[in-house]
Amino acid sequence: NTSLSDEEAQETILHIRWHRSTELNRFDLIRDENKLSYMPTAEDVGCCLQVEVLAYLDGDFHSMVCDISSPIVAGIPKVTQLAIEGTPIEGAQLEMTGIYTGGIEGASEVRWYREKEYGIEELIEVLSPENG
């Protein structure tokens, strides 16, 4: 029969905090980010990230460790969850939706095509997302 020592029986709680660097060489708390993993966003590009892990034993502060990343770089530009919304009937308005990642979006274009016989594509319209 094995019994745990007093130290092994203590309750350990980890408190995780993520921070983003600022132009003033400070780190600001990233609200609602308290998990062991974090996915950088466009707002993080060019900034360093800091993670702090505070350990508490039986409710009392025990220790803290932290690490700082190198500056976050923009990902490869891409659109995910691409969808055409609306009713696909003559006279109805169709709209393209999607989620852009890859840093700050530049001069993007949305190109609408009509597929004709034998897979031949005909360009219908070119729009910038800002102009609809």
Side-chain angles (χ1 to χ4, degrees), residues 6-123:
D6 288 341
E7 187 172 306
E8 292 173 321
Q10 292 178 327
E11 179 184 20
T12 302
I13 297 174
L14 299 179
H15 182 74
I16 295 109
R17 298 189 299 203
W18 288 89
H19 299 85
R20 179 184 302 112
S21 65
T22 69
E23 293 175 4
L24 303 173
N25 294 323
R26 294 184 20 210
F27 282 91
D28 288 343
L29 180 67
I30 302 173
R31 294 187 179 275
D32 300 322
E33 291 297 337
N34 55 8
K35 294 185 175 75
L36 290 172
S37 63
Y38 172 73
M39 184 180 303
T41 65
E43 188 176 355
D44 298 318
V45 172
C47 299
C48 295
L49 297 177
Q50 177 187 52
V51 63
E52 294 177 341
V53 180
L54 293 88
Y56 293 85
L57 293 177
D58 287 333
D60 294 325
F61 176 74
H62 181 264
S63 63
M64 181 184 90
V65 293
C66 69
D67 198 10
I68 300 173
S69 74
S70 56
I72 303 300
V73 296
I76 297 170
K78 64 181 177 182
V79 175
T80 58
Q81 298 180 25
L82 183 64
I84 297 175
E85 295 183 352
T87 305
I89 60 172
E90 181 184 0
Q93 185 73 31
L94 298 177
E95 181 179 351
M96 185 280 309
T97 62
I99 297 174
Y100 174 86
T101 57
I104 297 171
E105 185 174 3
S108 296
E109 290 182 341
V110 175
R111 294 175 176 241
W112 287 91
Y113 290 89
R114 176 183 298 117
E115 187 171 331
K116 303 198 62 121
E117 293 182 62
Y118 308 108
I120 297 171
E121 295 177 344
E122 174 186 18
L123 180 63

